[in-house]
Amino acid sequence: DAGITQSPRHKVTETGTPVTLRCHQTENHRYMYWYRQDPGHGLRLIHYSYGVKDTDKGEVSDGYSVSRSKTEDFLLTLESATSSQTSVYFCAISESDGRASEQYFGPGTRLTVT
Amino acid sequence: GENVEQHPSTLSVQEGDSAVIKCTYSDSASNYFPWYKQELGKRPQLIIDIRSNVGEKKDQRIAVTLNKTAKHFSLHITETQPEDSAVYFCAGRSTDSWGKLQFGAGTQVVVTP
């Protein structure tokens, strides 16, 4: 597995509370992504980053924000968690050259919002 | 943007038989099509990919074929084994979506001994 870790791996939180998930990589890859995985929907892109402080929205970005202050860290924040954000969240990374599309996934974070 | 549809949603095969999963895509500009395997409770793992300049790619018991005219691509698993049981996801990337992948909904493959 590529050098990708996610923390926490499991979290239960209450509706309305802020939550931050962390993705950390040791591969020095330029691109980082946050996906959510729900039954019947595959993997849906929330936000992605193409460099330090460079981020953009994916297809399901409402209710989420991201930050990337260092190459190795990409943070996903739920400002005010809702039950619809209960999901498994995966971070992914890819290189910056012609192999940019080969994405490698972290171990995932299971988030439950009660 | 790209839209990827994947069929079937579930596939049950006898050990030793072949399994085929098909995906269709909408954007004729798409040029990269990876396949991921996800075992229960684990992360998706890239198992094979194909770029639009080739029609077929093989790696041991798995192969992927691409038909650009019809805009579909398929994963073929031969001589299936119980360890092939997993969820398989296809994905497509458009040249204008800058590294972003659009995933299919997944196929649950069950290999029975």
Side-chain angles (χ1 to χ4, degrees), chain B residues 29 45 54 85 100 108 111 113:
Chain B
Q45 298 267 23
V54 298
S85 295
K100 293 186 290 184
Q108 174 76 61
V111 180

Side-chain angles (χ1 to χ4, degrees), chain A residues 1 31 33 35 37 40 42-43 45 48 50 59 90 101-107, chain B residues 32 36 38 42-46 49 51 89 93 98-105:
Chain A
D1 293 331
Y31 301 134
Y33 310 81
Y35 291 90
Q37 184 174 40
L43 292 145
L45 183 65
Y48 66 101
Y50 46 96
E59 64 177 304
F90 285 100
S101 290
E102 294 179 18
Q103 295 186 17
Y104 299 95
F105 286 83
Chain B
Y32 174 70
Y36 287 83
Q38 186 178 28
K42 300 294 180 69
R43 74 187 77 190
Q45 298 267 23
L46 178 66
D49 56 18
R51 299 180 192 273
F89 293 96
R93 186 197 77 139
W98 206 65
K100 293 186 290 184
L101 295 175
Q102 183 70 40
F103 284 85

